[in-house]
Amino acid sequence: MASLSSAISNPGHILSPNALAHDVKPKKICYSQCHAFFLPPHRSPICRMGFVSGLERKMTLKSRIFASVTVDTPVNTSPEKVQLPKGDTWSVHKFGGTCMGSSERIKNVAKIVLSDDSERKFIVVSAMSKVTDMIYDLIYKAQSRDDSYLSALDAVLEKHRSTAFDLLDGDELGSFLAQLNHDISNLKAMLRAIYIAGHATESFTDFVVGHGELWSAQMLSCVVRKNGVDCNWMDTREVLIVNPTSSNQVDPDFKESEERLEIWYSKNPSKTIVATGFIASTPKNIPTTLKRDGSDFSAAIMGALFRARQVTIWTDVDGVYSADPRKVSEAVILKTLSYQEAWEMSYFGANVLHPRTIIPVMRYDIPIIIRNVFNLAVPGTKICRSTEDEDGQGLESFVKGFATIDNLALVNVEGTGMAGVPGTASTIFSAVKDVGANVIMISQASSEHSVCFAVPEKEVNAVSELLKSRFREALNAGRLSQVQVIPNCSILAAVGQKMASTPGVSATLFNALAKANINVRAIAQGCSEYNITVVVKREDCIRALRAVHSRFYLSRTTIAMGIIGPGLIGGTLLDQLRDQTATLKEEFNIDLRVMGITGSRTMLLSEAGIDLSRWKELQKEKGVVADMEKFVQHIHGNHFIPNTVLVDCTADSSIASHYYDWLRKGIHVVTPNKKANSGPLDQYLKLRALQRQSYTHYFYEATVGAGLPIINTLQGLLETGDKILRIEGIFSGTLSYIFNNFIGRRTFSEVVAEAKQAGYTEPDPRDDLSGTDVCRKVIILARESGLKLELSDIPVESLVPEPLKDSASAEEFMQKLPQFDHDLAKKRQIAEDAGQVLRYVGVVDMVNQEGAVKLQTYKNDHPFAQLSGADNIIAFTTTRYKDQPLIVRGPGAGAEVTAGGVFSDILRLASYLGAPS
């Protein structure tokens, strides 16, 4: 058995079936003598691994078994050497496994090749979809001595045989099938050897796994020829020479490859060449692969060798996205990227190209085009030297894209003993190298007090233990304070070539993160400024990505909204949003999206935004059982918009009790609901403290004056240093209407009935007449002004007669109210006799630190006596406005104005989040 192991380990050995059966010592051929091993006589010399049957063939150079003999490439017998033309006449195309996944797709690839009007075309192909994985699986099964490798090999054969029958006919079909069967027979012998030996070397595996490319290249070349175009196929192992490196990569030998290309072309001249991707050879002619993204790399290398006009990478996406579209559904296709931008984005995990793919083409300024083989109408993304002025001058032209890396951990080494001590960083990263960990990012404070770096989470324990061992003496002596591991991290990188020359990009990035309530754990930026890298908590990563992408790529302010309570006010707000949303987006760059609407029983959710022209229909058709927790989670967490606002249009204290938790989670709150600001004082103070400490906003203008700017005016006075002396006003539109019309010989009950009929009162007028609503407004203004009062501290003069407070229904109350008309009629008469009017007012007395709600008389020339309809009026007496109070007057009741006040707060929020003023 030792001989079999030796053979698998050494590609210079040749095993016959007899050797496999009887463990006969194999014959050995030196590399210097194996120029025709596994190679058709008309091909350039290259050494191959394989098995020769001792019973069927003699060991002569002319009768060696070779892999994928070309039966269709004409042999150039001309003694005159054909010169290889280079330059813009060549166009290079690369088609991946998905593009070559079936006979129909291969026909489509052939159409694309034929439609290219370039003078010369070089096409690089991958194996058919899943074939490379299937062959790796064959090898694994053979190594594991799993007999199912034989049936798996049959599946590989059948996949290519059935595809060939669909694509080819006549001699082309016969020749390909003969070669395919020949290759499968050889592979069967090789896998048998692996099965017996129990292992396979990397070079042996590379040789076996490269067959998928050989077969797909031959099939495509046959299809192209079938359409009347002269076409040769190239086994790139004869041309492409690479040197394996220690980092599981390979470096192309351009000089040797160029010489071999010229030799190959002199023997096989053609204006259309189909070549194998992924596979190459070492300088010793041992088959190898180009490792990860090898076919892209092949195309880039060949593009450089031909000095091609461009290299087109055909794939199944429309181009390079500004962010992962699986995480950011509104990611956009980038028209252009510079080589450096593509390089940076691919390093940070973006599905662009492997960084090394870009290196060969950069040398000759050859552009790479990423295009979708299934969507030819889209021009794709162009990667080239410079992208100057090609994408406009918005911020998005400075930051091209965002990428993330997950499952990382930060390692922080810190201590005062590190400062100024040479070799500390060397010791740290030497330990990381010894563990074999990959350092993704490094950040060091200029004080040299600490160094932190990010590594894959699966490697962090080994790194931490070795660092603690290496620095044990320094840790024990106190020169180092700790080696700290911070798990559950992700990296977010912003990439853009113009970032270096554009002030404010970093500020915009960090501002977007702050406003999305994202905490940054570490920062790194190279002096080239091609990327800014931040480390965030893993659970914050997608939200951070959406936040920065939204800031740079969507409307300047995009806000996800959840509407709670689609009743009279909420429904009116939805109608106002419907009518104004398009204008806001077009003219003011504000993008408001209602992602959910919930009532007490039913909620409607949407991933992209609810069509507000049909929200009532949709709620009936697609509404689900209301669940506040699920509703909030959907609005805040299940879409790409980082800014979230919940709009509470109810008067429910249980909804108001959630505000603190919502704000703590980074959810903005807008509401006309008075319950939170007029509830228990300790809860109010806790809510306001949180609001002041965070970047999360809580707006409640409509709680006092509906659409009137009462809260905003008060805050403006206080913030500019004015001192409030007294706030006095008619705060109830309902009671304003009642007392404006309680004149002449009209009775109080008659006016109340009229107000109820007109829709000014609550369904039960006692809710208005009790003065509780006015009291809540007074306590809100008192607290806003700095008074720490409870609702119970405000004396309220109720207009509900004491005997009627316990009436069983609103109807009974209205029926009995006329019995008490004489009390208010008497007060009115006294006021009229004194040249005054009755008004129901709320008062905040800052001088005496108190508040009150009462029925008050005012002279006929007083502003409060001049009201009409349901207008509200509020007078601010301050040190600046002492002799002549500042008065705010206007409609203070009704769904339209209240909804308008809420809408105004939403737009104020948008302004705070960065919308143009």
Side-chain angles (χ1 to χ4, degrees):
M1 199 61 69
S3 59
L4 289 172
S5 299
S6 174
I8 302 300
S9 302
N10 190 340
H13 285 119
I14 301 175
L15 285 176
S16 71
N18 286 340
L20 297 178
H22 305 294
D23 198 14
V24 176
K25 185 176 181 180
K27 299 177 182 179
K28 183 172 182 179
I29 293 188
C30 297
Y31 281 117
S32 60
Q33 299 172 335
C34 69
H35 62 280
F37 186 30
F38 287 168
L39 190 68
H42 59 272
R43 290 302 185 103
S44 58
I46 186 168
C47 181
R48 299 279 190 260
M49 296 172 294
F51 300 88
V52 180
S53 168
L55 295 176
E56 297 177 4
R57 304 179 191 273
K58 295 183 180 180
M59 303 294 286
T60 63
L61 289 176
K62 290 184 180 180
S63 61
R64 298 275 191 255
I65 291 180
F66 54 86
S68 292
V69 137
T70 238
V71 294
D72 45 44
T73 304
V75 180
N76 190 320
T77 57
S78 170
E80 185 178 337
K81 186 176 180 181
V82 179
Q83 191 71 30
L84 171 65
K86 295 180 182 179
D88 288 351
T89 59
W90 286 99
S91 175
V92 175
H93 297 265
K94 177 264 173 177
F95 295 94
T98 305
C99 306
M100 301 288 291
S102 65
S103 56
E104 283 305 312
R105 291 183 179 181
I106 293 174
K107 287 177 185 176
N108 185 49
V109 167
K111 285 180 184 176
I112 292 172
V113 171
L114 294 166
S115 64
D116 180 3
D117 57 5
S118 301
E119 185 179 343
R120 296 179 173 86
K121 291 165 277 193
F122 188 87
I123 298 93
V124 177
V125 294
S126 298
M128 291 182 70
S129 179
K130 304 271 194 298
V131 166
T132 302
D133 289 340
M134 291 168 75
I135 298 177
Y136 272 121
D137 186 53
L138 288 175
I139 297 167
Y140 174 77
K141 286 180 175 178
Q143 286 183 127
S144 305
R145 296 195 169 99
D146 180 348
D147 290 329
S148 65
Y149 80 88
L150 290 168
S151 58
L153 182 61
D154 289 340
V156 173
L157 169 63
E158 182 54 35
K159 183 179 181 77
H160 290 85
R161 208 160 64 110
S162 61
T163 304
F165 272 111
D166 286 344
L167 293 172
L168 311 177
D169 49 38
D171 291 343
E172 295 274 24
L173 175 61
S175 297
F176 176 77
L177 290 178
Q179 186 58 53
L180 175 65
N181 289 324
H182 185 75
D183 291 343
I184 293 291
S185 177
N186 284 341
L187 286 176
K188 192 174 291 186
M190 295 177 195
L191 292 166
R192 176 63 180 164
I194 294 172
Y195 180 94
I196 294 170
H199 73 95
T201 61
E202 182 181 352
S203 56
F204 209 96
T205 300
D206 286 347
F207 174 67
V208 173
V209 85
H211 280 72
E213 278 72 17
L214 295 165
W215 296 326
S216 62
Q218 291 175 71
M219 283 193 288
L220 180 59
S221 66
C222 290
V223 175
V224 173
R225 276 199 304 278
K226 189 177 176 182
N227 283 274
V229 174
D230 178 46
C231 177
N232 284 341
W233 80 274
M234 174 193 287
D235 178 352
T236 48
R237 294 178 298 188
E238 301 172 29
V239 172
L240 192 48
I241 304 302
V242 296
N243 292 295
T245 67
S246 58
S247 55
N248 195 32
Q249 292 187 6
V250 294
D251 292 333
D253 184 335
F254 285 97
K255 186 174 183 299
E256 178 66 20
S257 298
E258 197 156 10
E259 290 174 2
R260 294 199 181 200
L261 175 60
E262 289 175 356
I263 294 169
W264 186 95
Y265 190 84
S266 71
K267 296 178 180 178
N268 304 279
S270 179
K271 289 188 175 181
T272 304
I273 302 169
V274 179
T276 56
F278 183 57
I279 56 177
S281 293
T282 70
K284 293 184 176 180
N285 292 329
I286 299 173
T288 188
T289 66
L290 301 184
K291 317 305 176 194
R292 179 187 164 195
D293 293 322
S295 293
D296 290 350
F297 198 19
S298 299
I301 296 168
M302 298 309 294
L305 293 177
F306 279 106
R307 314 292 192 269
R309 185 181 80 258
Q310 69 181 35
V311 175
T312 304
I313 307 290
W314 292 91
T315 179
D316 56 358
V317 294
D318 288 339
V320 180
Y321 284 88
S322 54
D324 187 340
R326 293 167 298 182
K327 297 176 180 177
V328 181
S329 59
E330 291 208 352
V332 299
I333 298 292
L334 300 174
K335 294 179 182 177
T336 60
L337 277 175
S338 70
Y339 293 128
Q340 288 82 1
E341 287 166 340
W343 199 331
E344 294 280 357
M345 287 184 69
S346 62
Y347 174 79
F348 287 103
N351 187 20
V352 190
L353 294 170
H354 193 280
R356 63 191 178 146
T357 302
I358 300 165
I359 298 171
V361 295
M362 279 181 68
R363 182 184 299 183
Y364 302 105
D365 284 345
I366 300 169
I368 297 177
I369 316 294
I370 312 291
R371 291 196 63 187
N372 190 344
V373 73
F374 306 116
N375 190 6
L376 302 182
V378 177
T381 300
K382 181 179 182 180
I383 300 172
C384 54
R385 174 70 63 186
S386 174
T387 60
E388 198 71 33
D389 296 326
E390 290 189 48
D391 276 340
Q393 291 301 313
L395 275 172
E396 66 274 11
S397 67
F398 305 123
V399 177
K400 280 297 185 70
F402 302 91
T404 58
I405 304 176
D406 294 322
N407 302 317
L408 300 177
L410 273 181
V411 180
N412 184 42
V413 182
E414 67 176 61
T416 54
M418 292 174 59
V421 179
T424 304
S426 173
T427 305
I428 291 171
F429 294 110
S430 175
V432 176
K433 179 178 180 292
D434 291 345
V435 169
N438 181 30
V439 176
I440 310 295
M441 187 204 86
I442 303 169
S443 181
Q444 179 177 9
S446 58
S447 65
E448 300 184 53
H449 176 70
S450 67
V451 175
C452 79
F453 55 93
V455 296
E457 204 157 36
K458 63 184 178 182
E459 298 171 349
V460 73
N461 288 336
V463 170
S464 174
E465 291 304 314
L466 188 54
L467 285 173
K468 287 174 182 177
S469 174
R470 295 275 173 94
F471 288 106
R472 182 171 288 113
E473 184 180 328
L475 286 165
N476 292 338
R479 295 194 304 277
L480 287 187
S481 57
Q482 64 175 343
V483 175
Q484 179 189 15
V485 171
I486 305 170
N488 302 318
C489 294
S490 292
I491 277 179
L492 167 65
V495 174
Q497 188 169 344
K498 294 184 186 177
M499 284 162 51
S501 57
T502 308
V505 173
S506 297
T508 302
L509 177 78
F510 289 112
N511 187 252
L513 292 171
K515 287 182 175 178
N517 216 29
I518 304 292
N519 183 44
V520 176
R521 290 180 162 180
I523 304 166
Q525 179 176 5
C527 60
S528 67
E529 294 189 62
Y530 285 140
N531 87 69
I532 302 171
T533 305
V534 297
V535 180
V536 298
K537 291 180 184 177
R538 184 187 302 160
E539 58 265 31
D540 289 341
C541 184
I542 292 179
R543 194 154 51 91
L545 178 62
R546 291 168 179 167
V548 295
H549 188 274
S550 170
R551 182 62 184 83
F552 284 95
Y553 270 97
L554 299 185
S555 285
R556 183 165 180 138
T557 308
T558 305
I559 304 175
M561 300 172 59
I563 307 296
I564 303 169
L568 185 59
I569 294 172
T572 305
L573 173 64
L574 287 166
D575 291 342
Q576 290 178 356
L577 286 166
R578 175 200 63 204
D579 297 339
Q580 197 64 14
T581 297
T583 303
L584 287 171
K585 189 170 182 180
E586 290 168 14
E587 296 184 17
F588 299 97
N589 222 8
I590 298 172
D591 191 357
L592 302 177
R593 306 193 186 187
V594 177
M595 313 301 284
I597 301 170
T598 185
S600 57
R601 297 178 182 177
T602 309
M603 66 181 180
L604 174 64
L605 305 177
S606 170
E607 291 294 337
I610 295 168
D611 179 359
L612 296 184
S613 65
R614 339 179 18 242
W615 70 267
K616 290 181 182 177
E617 298 170 43
L618 292 170
Q619 193 172 36
K620 291 177 183 176
E621 294 170 9
K622 299 182 179 180
V624 296
V625 176
D627 183 316
M628 187 57 67
E629 187 177 340
K630 289 181 180 176
F631 181 79
V632 173
Q633 171 60 31
H634 172 81
I635 303 299
H636 188 50
N638 287 351
H639 52 82
F640 60 92
I641 305 173
N643 300 310
T644 306
V645 60
L646 291 173
V647 183
D648 174 20
C649 295
T650 73
D652 192 334
S653 57
S654 66
I655 301 295
S657 68
H658 291 294
Y659 292 177
Y660 183 85
D661 287 335
W662 293 345
L663 290 168
R664 197 161 50 83
K665 291 176 181 175
I667 302 171
H668 309 289
V669 176
V670 170
T671 185
N673 187 344
K674 306 173 190 66
K675 298 297 172 65
N677 285 12
S678 62
L681 180 62
D682 60 335
Q683 292 182 23
Y684 167 80
L685 294 173
K686 185 179 174 186
L687 190 63
R688 291 306 308 275
L690 176 64
Q691 181 194 6
R692 283 190 290 267
Q693 291 166 7
S694 71
Y695 282 90
T696 313
H697 300 287
Y698 171 43
F699 294 140
Y700 43 87
E701 182 67 73
T703 58
V704 175
L708 298 178
I710 307 301
I711 299 290
N712 203 27
T713 299
L714 175 56
Q715 289 175 341
L717 292 170
L718 292 169
E719 287 167 3
T720 56
D722 204 353
K723 185 178 179 181
I724 305 297
L725 302 177
R726 183 181 180 88
I727 303 172
E728 188 173 4
I730 297 172
F731 294 102
S732 168
T734 302
L735 294 171
S736 176
Y737 179 88
I738 288 172
F739 283 97
N740 287 339
N741 289 278
F742 184 44
I743 53 177
R745 293 173 178 262
R746 303 191 71 184
T747 64
F748 185 72
S749 60
E750 179 188 342
V751 177
V752 172
E754 180 182 281
K756 186 175 187 297
Q757 183 68 30
Y760 285 115
T761 72
E762 294 293 334
D764 189 336
R766 284 175 292 184
D767 293 340
D768 297 296
L769 299 176
S770 68
T772 303
D773 186 63
V774 176
C775 184
R776 288 190 180 278
K777 295 178 179 181
V778 168
I779 200 73
I780 289 170
L781 292 176
R783 289 174 175 179
E784 201 73 29
S785 302
L787 297 183
K788 294 183 178 179
L789 300 176
E790 293 283 6
L791 197 62
S792 58
D793 295 330
I794 308 292
V796 178
E797 181 180 347
S798 175
L799 298 178
V800 179
E802 192 66 35
L804 300 186
K805 286 183 178 178
D806 297 324
S807 294
S809 65
E811 289 73 21
E812 182 183 332
F813 167 77
M814 292 300 298
Q815 188 177 354
K816 294 181 178 180
L817 185 60
Q819 300 172 19
F820 301 89
D821 280 343
H822 64 279
D823 292 337
L824 280 170
K826 185 177 179 181
K827 290 181 181 181
R828 178 181 64 187
Q829 188 61 51
I830 293 169
E832 286 178 353
D833 292 345
Q836 296 176 331
V837 294
L838 288 176
R839 295 293 182 259
Y840 195 79
V841 297
V843 178
V844 177
D845 186 346
M846 292 299 294
V847 177
N848 296 309
Q849 304 279 292
E850 63 184 20
V853 176
K854 56 188 177 181
L855 192 61
Q856 182 89 13
T857 58
Y858 293 90
K859 292 182 179 179
N860 287 329
D861 60 354
H862 192 279
F864 284 17
Q866 310 300 315
L867 289 184
S868 61
D871 279 5
N872 284 6
I873 187 167
I874 294 90
F876 294 93
T877 304
T878 72
T879 52
R880 291 179 191 157
Y881 298 94
K882 193 170 185 179
D883 299 327
Q884 187 74 28
L886 174 64
I887 291 177
V888 178
R889 173 182 169 175
E896 285 289 337
V897 292
T898 304
V902 175
F903 199 168
S904 178
D905 268 351
I906 293 168
L907 296 181
R908 184 178 165 207
L909 171 64
S911 177
Y912 274 60
L913 294 174
S917 57

